[in-house]
Amino acid sequence: HRGARGIVAENTLASIKEGLKYSHRIEFDVHLTKTTTIVVIHDDTVDRTTNGSGKVGDMTLEELRKLDAGEKQPVPTLIEVLEIIKERPEILIHLELKGDGTAKPCVELVKSMKMEDQVLYISFKHDMLQTVKKLNASLSIGPLFNRDVTNELITKAKEMGAIEVGVNHTRWNESFMKHAKSLGLKVHCYTVNAKEDFEKCLTLGYDGIVTDRPDELK
């Protein structure tokens, strides 16, 4: 989750590299800078995760590069992160479209690097996932939900062309899980850091578990 944010500063190159040690999947978030460079950062501002302040979308890449994103590391670009993962073709990327307008440039960049098969586009903003599908119907998408999940929502996800969905691990119920499985959808849960929650999720039928501490829960 955000690389391995429970071990190394989130969404940095070091965090991505750390996360790759423990799992065959890696998750991180993207926004656009003022100059439309795709950067890997969770929030729409730099305040929480760097020593600076301001909106990511109001800053140039050069301005972002001057900030410390943790342990004297800069905010990375998406291309820098993809270049690391490209060397590991067995890794599946959960690329979370956080910032508005990130769908098209991400799809174009991933295509240019011939990594379409390694990327699952995920987002709470389902309209951006629909944009991904309009750009290329063969791309993989996984809508995220942060509320009680109903069978209707699962059906809509399938109709969007999703191959899996992501849900808050506290929102589990047997009905939506059975419905998702009946439609051939995989279900992963987030964000699980306590060992007791991890062990519980293993018994509930989830296909994947998102965690900040892959070192402890692998």
Side-chain angles (χ1 to χ4, degrees):
H1 185 228
R2 306 182 203 171
R5 73 182 294 248
I7 310 171
V8 185
E10 68 179 61
N11 283 330
T12 57
L13 292 182
S15 190
I16 298 297
K17 291 175 181 176
E18 185 69 21
L20 292 173
K21 295 178 182 178
Y22 304 98
S23 177
H24 62 285
R25 296 195 182 203
I26 192 84
E27 186 270 354
F28 52 83
D29 318 271
V30 292
H31 283 271
L32 293 177
T33 66
K34 182 179 181 180
T35 45
T36 66
T37 301
I38 313 166
V39 290
V40 177
I41 188 170
H42 181 273
D43 302 354
D44 61 358
T45 72
V46 300
D47 300 42
R48 180 180 63 84
T49 57
T50 78
N51 60 342
S53 63
K55 289 190 174 183
V56 176
D58 291 338
M59 305 177 80
T60 65
L61 180 60
E62 183 180 10
E63 290 170 331
L64 272 176
R65 290 295 207 188
K66 295 177 181 177
L67 304 179
D68 182 352
E71 299 160 24
K72 298 183 179 179
Q73 298 175 84
V75 174
T77 63
L78 176 58
I79 192 169
E80 288 174 328
V81 172
L82 293 181
E83 283 174 344
I84 292 171
I85 302 172
K86 189 176 176 67
E87 299 175 4
R88 298 277 305 278
E90 77 280 11
I91 298 294
L92 180 67
I93 300 163
H94 285 224
L95 200 168
E96 184 168 350
L97 304 173
K98 277 285 188 188
D100 293 337
T102 48
K104 186 177 180 180
C106 283
V107 167
E108 291 174 345
L109 178 58
V110 169
K111 180 181 179 180
S112 73
M113 297 184 71
K114 297 180 171 59
M115 294 179 68
E116 291 101 328
D117 293 342
Q118 276 188 264
V119 177
L120 172 69
Y121 294 92
I122 64 174
S123 188
F124 290 100
K125 300 176 180 179
H126 299 171
D127 58 322
M128 291 207 287
L129 298 181
Q130 291 174 324
T131 297
V132 168
K133 278 296 194 181
K134 287 177 183 176
L135 291 167
N136 185 342
S138 70
L139 298 178
S140 299
I141 61 169
L144 302 177
F145 300 99
N146 192 24
R147 53 176 165 155
D148 289 337
V149 184
T150 63
N151 288 0
E152 182 182 8
L153 289 175
I154 294 296
T155 298
K156 286 182 178 179
K158 182 66 176 181
E159 290 172 349
M160 285 173 57
I163 63 168
E164 67 178 79
V165 297
V167 302
N168 188 304
H169 76 94
T170 64
R171 304 285 184 160
W172 184 89
N173 70 68
E174 187 175 8
S175 177
F176 90 73
M177 183 68 82
K178 283 185 175 179
H179 188 53
K181 300 291 185 179
S182 74
L183 295 177
L185 289 171
K186 290 185 176 181
V187 184
H188 71 263
C189 63
Y190 66 88
T191 300
V192 182
N193 293 320
K195 193 162 187 177
E196 58 269 27
D197 290 333
F198 180 75
E199 291 173 350
K200 180 180 179 181
C201 288
L202 287 175
T203 70
L204 296 178
Y206 287 112
D207 298 287
I209 299 173
V210 178
T211 181
D212 297 330
R213 294 303 305 260
D215 57 328
E216 293 186 353
L217 302 182
K218 67 173 182 173

